[in-house]
Structures are given as structure tokens and as C-alpha cells.
Amino acid sequence: MSGIRERPLRADAARNRARLLEAATEVFTTRGVGVPTEEIARAAGVGVGTLFRHFPSKEALLEAVMVRRLESVAARAEQVAAASEPAGALFDCFRLIVEQSAGKSAFTQALAAAGVDVHASLRGPSAAIRELLAGLLERAQQAGVVRSELTLPELLALLVGAGAAVEQLGPDPAGRERVFEVFLTGLRPR
């Protein structure tokens, strides 16, 4: 950014932006990223011009939805972590992150196909989640409830794998629970 300061949004503009993000999150998550922007605007109760004033392209909207989702996951993970003992905190955050990752790969692929550097866009909220997980892993290892040899990169890889497994299952609650049981049991010391 050059030295130009962005003006804060007027209250009505901020409400419209929030409604657009809510509608886009819901529509993209339930119907896929191929939904036309006109439908997002309609679902938010605004005109397509309003959508494009806030988000100059569909990719910008997708990116904003991804950032918002990740920031929300980070905030919720912090709350979960603060409310539990070491094993519960790590395992509950593991479950939360996996459950909230539904549809993430479709978002990521669509953004990458449009030439958006997804990793750069998500750097801030991703770093917050990694930092939280690093602390939770260390606490759980010190308490002896998680394998001592497990590293943060391995934990992150397990999260990605669990997310893919759960997404592959679709709406099968019993199957999802078995997947979580296998992953979480594997985190515990032998």
C-alpha cells in the first residue's frame, strides 16, 4: 500500500459487506464455488453493483470468504483451547479445524486457478492457528497425553488428511466419528 489511508466504511456499507460475506459463505459452502455472483447478491439482498463495489471480482469475494472463515476458526479454536485441559484442548481443536475445513479445497482450487496466491492471502490467520496448535501440542506432550515424537508439521499433515477423509465421507456422522477416533487415537502415546 502507498501512504493512502483507507476510509472506514459507512455503517450501511459495512452491513452490506457483512451480509455479502455471510451469503457468499453459505452459498459457496452449500452449492459450490461455481454459483454466479448475481445469486450471491440476491441471497444477500443487495444488487450486483453493491457486490462489485465491495469485491471487484468473484475471486476477491472467494478470497474474502476464505480469510473470514479462517479467522473465525482461529477465534473459535482459541476459545476451545482455553476451556479444556491439555488433551481435550488439542483434540477439540483438531476436531474443530477438520470440521470447519469442509469445502476448503474447492475454494483453494478456484482461487489458484484464477491466479490468486492463496497462501499469501491466508498467511495471517494460518499463522495464528499454527501458533495455537504449536502451544497446544507442547502442552499435551508435556502432560504425556500425546506422542512426544510428534512434530507440528506432522500434526498439520494429519489435520489435512483428516479433513480430506471427512470430506470424502460426506454426510455420514458415524463414519466421521470413526475417522476422528482413528486419528485421535493415533495421536496418543503407545
Side-chain angles (χ1 to χ4, degrees):
M1 287 211 145
S2 59
I4 299 172
R5 295 173 63 193
E6 289 186 29
R7 294 170 49 195
L9 292 176
R10 294 184 334 253
D12 61 331
R15 280 191 302 273
N16 285 341
R17 186 177 198 286
R19 285 199 331 247
L20 283 162
L21 283 171
E22 280 295 320
T25 299
E26 175 66 24
V27 172
F28 287 148
T29 302
T30 58
R31 296 181 43 212
V33 296
V35 175
T37 51
E38 292 80 6
E39 290 187 39
I40 304 291
R42 195 172 324 130
V46 300
V48 74
T50 298
L51 185 148
F52 285 117
R53 268 193 299 284
H54 290 283
F55 307 101
S57 66
K58 185 174 184 179
E59 290 76 22
L61 178 59
L62 278 167
E63 185 177 2
V65 167
M66 284 287 295
V67 168
R68 184 172 186 243
R69 282 180 68 179
L70 210 50
E71 288 172 344
S72 175
V73 168
R76 289 178 55 205
E78 283 182 25
Q79 293 171 340
V80 166
S84 301
E85 40 72 45
L90 179 64
F91 295 165
D92 291 348
C93 282
F94 187 98
R95 180 182 290 273
L96 170 74
I97 290 168
V98 168
E99 288 173 344
Q100 294 301 309
S101 71
K104 182 181 174 196
S105 60
F107 281 77
T108 304
Q109 290 169 0
L111 288 170
V116 175
D117 183 352
V118 178
H119 296 292
S121 300
L122 303 177
R123 187 169 288 128
S126 293
I129 291 172
R130 269 193 307 280
E131 185 178 318
L132 174 70
L133 287 170
L136 292 175
L137 179 60
E138 184 178 339
R139 278 183 45 211
Q141 288 172 325
Q142 288 173 351
V145 294
V146 170
R147 293 172 175 241
S148 61
E149 72 276 13
L150 187 68
T151 65
L152 181 61
E154 294 164 348
L155 178 62
L156 295 172
L158 290 168
L159 279 162
V160 170
V166 166
E167 195 165 341
Q168 178 69 33
L169 284 172
D172 177 4
R176 292 168 78 92
E177 282 308 309
R178 283 189 293 278
V179 166
F180 280 120
E181 183 181 329
V182 168
F183 275 92
L184 297 178
T185 298
L187 293 176
R188 295 184 188 279
R190 292 179 224 159

